[in-house]
Amino acid sequence: MSKLFLSILLCAAVTFPATHMAFAVRIVTTEGIETWLVAAVPNTGAANAQGINTDWIKRNIGISEEELSKPENGPKAGDKLTGDPNFDWKVVKGRAGDHLIDFQRADIFGPHDNITAYMYLYITSDKDRKVDIWVGSDDSIKVWVNGKVIHNNPVLRGAGPNQDLIKGVHLKQGKNGLLIKICEQGGGWAGWCRIEPVEGLKASTDPQRAGNPIPLPKTVNIYFNDFLNLIGPSPGGAIAAVGRDLISEWTNRKYTEEDVANGKGIENKWEWERFPLAEHEAEGWKLGKFTNFGGNNVQKLAEEVFGRVGDLNNYTWYGYTIIISPDRRNVDLRVGSDDSVKIWLNGKVVHDNPVLRGSSGFQDTVPITLKPGVNRLMVKVCEQGGGWSAFIGFDNERDFQGLKVDASETLGFQAVDPTGKLRTTWGSLKGMR
Ligand SMILES: [Ca+2]
Ligand SMILES: [Ca+2]
Ligand SMILES: [Ca+2]
């Protein structure tokens, strides 16, 4: 895929609302802005209360957080904050790959609890414009641009790319000040930020200089985002649940997981709408898209597709989709899950990870072989407590090139021949080539 085509896809992914997406995958970069001015204030109490609510800039240097976020008042490397040189303003770079700023790194601030970090960047824009700003944080986060609060999330969480989206942020022509506050309570302590689109923007940590153009992201994640979905209760914990055949339990043994992974009972709308669920709390199958790519995206899908608002625990999600490949190819499927995960390709288990973990992106690498034509993919993610999330896709454009991954367009509305091949769709696709 050429860089140009990639940037068109990136623009398409952010420009069209989810319901009008031309793609059944979401192309998301995990690469944040690399270089920042940072400073910290220790002993700031609970991250999501005293830490985020107190103006630690004002307490230390007299001007407010709001005032500091105006570019004419912004900091430069070497400026004092607490007076402890370890915590005063300095320029740092995020880690390789996603550019996450891990404040606990020995060359930044080292490990601390109940402490607040500030990140600062001067953004020079060639004209007045609106941008989207994506942030990630461990733990609570508040963001200002040019003297205005644009985001406040008093949360306790691990950090990852793209956790919160701040839409339609106004940048003025010339220099803008971006201030991010990250309050840490315990465990990890990190911040992450990217701006989209970056065309026409330069970033600098030096108030005297416009700096360099913000580069287009080099790495992208390609997330499958529409599935045929089934959810239901799975008491007894995620690790046990991922090892049990819940489809068999929920249908009184009319169908097994392997049946469905082979397309049985599911590839025609008239079949899946009458899927014989005996478990009355289970719901499905229903077409639906992920609209969120932070942690807890399956919970969000359960709310939007099934109206199941609130924090579901000891629950399991099955997602089913079709990958149409123009050729036989070996690819690395990338998978992230909260909690346990199992994946079938064309009826066979290709991944089985009985684990309890959080997730806000890819974690596991699953080498698979796609055959020419229709490939059936079934994913199972068992949630035990806290967040519930799933990420399935590729982080390599070459693996994805030429594939069609699309539950809503390839399932259920076409004639299916007796061997289960989606002849109409595949035939028309080939005809287009
Ligand atoms: Ca933390
Ligand atoms: Ca939960
Ligand atoms: Ca969980």
Side-chain angles (χ1 to χ4, degrees):
M1 206 183 305
S2 73
K3 264 236 139 60
L4 177 65
F5 181 53
L6 183 60
S7 45
I8 291 167
L9 274 177
L10 276 166
C11 291
V14 298
T15 307
F16 299 117
T19 47
H20 299 112
M21 285 270 299
F23 307 100
V25 296
R26 180 78 64 95
I27 298 181
V28 174
T29 180
T30 56
E31 191 177 318
I33 296 173
E34 186 177 17
T35 307
W36 293 83
L37 272 166
V38 299
V41 178
N43 306 314
T44 54
N48 56 352
Q50 187 190 6
I52 202 75
N53 293 330
T54 306
D55 188 337
W56 303 107
I57 298 290
K58 183 147 205 159
R59 289 235 180 151
N60 280 280
I61 59 169
I63 70 163
S64 67
E65 290 165 333
E66 279 75 10
E67 288 299 313
L68 186 81
S69 74
K70 295 177 181 168
E72 61 272 25
N73 303 327
K76 63 180 187 301
D79 279 2
K80 297 205 178 315
L81 182 53
T82 65
D84 178 341
N86 287 331
F87 295 133
D88 289 339
W89 289 99
K90 59 184 161 189
V91 175
V92 301
K93 281 184 188 297
R95 70 182 178 197
D98 61 12
H99 298 155
L100 186 88
I101 309 285
D102 176 1
F103 298 112
Q104 310 214 73
R105 235 167 55 192
D107 62 326
I108 304 185
F109 304 127
H112 294 272
D113 291 337
N114 303 110
I115 184 167
T116 292
Y118 290 95
M119 300 165 64
Y120 202 99
L121 202 61
Y122 297 93
I123 311 281
T124 299
S125 176
D126 59 354
K127 60 177 186 188
D128 271 40
R129 62 171 74 239
K130 292 239 161 104
V131 295
D132 290 341
I133 298 182
W134 295 83
V135 292
S137 66
D138 177 344
D139 292 280
S140 301
I141 182 166
K142 196 167 180 178
V143 184
W144 295 259
V145 167
N146 299 336
K148 283 208 186 82
V149 178
I150 57 165
H151 187 61
N152 185 10
N153 190 0
V155 68
L156 300 177
R157 65 181 174 193
N162 304 305
Q163 288 175 313
D164 301 342
L165 168 60
I166 313 162
K167 276 189 92 71
V169 177
H170 176 246
L171 296 180
K172 62 186 185 194
Q173 185 174 18
K175 196 168 287 177
N176 299 265
L178 168 61
L179 172 66
I180 303 177
K181 177 183 190 178
I182 301 210
C183 300
E184 153 63 354
Q185 186 146 320
W189 178 27
W192 182 95
C193 174
R194 78 180 166 93
I195 299 176
E196 199 170 78
V198 292
E199 285 84 357
L201 301 182
K202 292 177 172 176
S204 178
T205 53
D206 181 347
Q208 303 304 321
R209 299 179 50 190
N212 299 317
I214 304 177
L216 269 175
K218 291 185 289 289
T219 58
V220 295
N221 283 352
I222 299 160
Y223 294 118
F224 302 173
N225 79 327
D226 76 339
F227 285 91
L228 198 53
N229 301 284
L230 172 67
I231 62 168
S234 50
I239 288 172
V242 82
R244 300 205 315 260
D245 189 333
L246 299 172
I247 288 182
S248 173
E249 292 179 23
W250 295 346
T251 62
N252 258 338
R253 293 178 295 284
K254 289 206 172 64
Y255 287 100
T256 64
E257 287 175 335
E258 194 183 331
D259 288 338
V260 174
N262 275 307
K264 285 186 192 144
I266 196 176
E267 280 196 349
N268 303 289
K269 200 161 190 281
W270 55 89
E271 275 189 305
W272 87 57
E273 286 188 340
R274 290 186 325 215
F275 199 72
L277 290 170
E279 164 58 55
H280 70 278
E281 276 191 63
E283 288 186 81
W285 297 85
K286 260 193 177 178
L287 281 169
K289 288 177 194 291
F290 285 109
T291 58
N292 174 294
F293 287 89
N296 225 18
N297 65 349
V298 178
Q299 176 67 52
K300 186 90 177 159
L301 180 139
E303 290 173 17
E304 293 179 350
V305 175
F306 297 106
R308 302 298 295 267
V309 179
D311 179 21
L312 294 172
N313 295 313
N314 284 315
Y315 249 73
T316 290
W317 166 76
Y318 288 93
Y320 183 90
T321 193
I322 297 287
I323 304 172
I324 296 175
S325 177
D327 47 31
R328 176 172 301 276
R329 64 174 74 185
N330 298 318
V331 295
D332 282 337
L333 191 69
R334 297 299 319 273
V335 177
S337 66
D338 173 350
D339 292 282
S340 301
V341 60
K342 197 167 190 173
I343 298 183
W344 292 256
L345 178 69
N346 295 321
K348 295 218 162 58
V349 175
V350 292
H351 188 53
D352 186 1
N353 193 357
V355 66
L356 299 179
R357 63 181 176 188
S359 178
S360 53
F362 293 146
Q363 295 160 307
D364 307 339
T365 300
V366 183
I368 57 172
T369 301
L370 296 173
K371 60 185 184 180
V374 170
N375 294 268
R376 299 175 172 84
L377 186 79
M378 186 169 83
V379 183
K380 174 186 189 182
V381 173
C382 303
E383 149 66 346
Q384 181 158 324
W388 187 13
S389 58
F391 303 89
I392 302 100
F394 304 111
D395 61 2
N396 181 335
E397 300 160 42
R398 263 175 321 165
D399 286 351
F400 175 63
Q401 195 164 13
L403 298 183
K404 185 174 167 66
V405 184
D406 194 338
S408 59
E409 285 188 23
T410 50
L411 272 163
F413 302 101
Q414 295 86 24
V416 175
D417 77 16
T419 61
K421 290 228 170 70
L422 296 169
R423 182 171 279 169
T424 311
T425 303
W426 181 230
S428 65
L429 265 181
K430 278 200 296 196
M432 279 160 47
R433 277 161 193 279

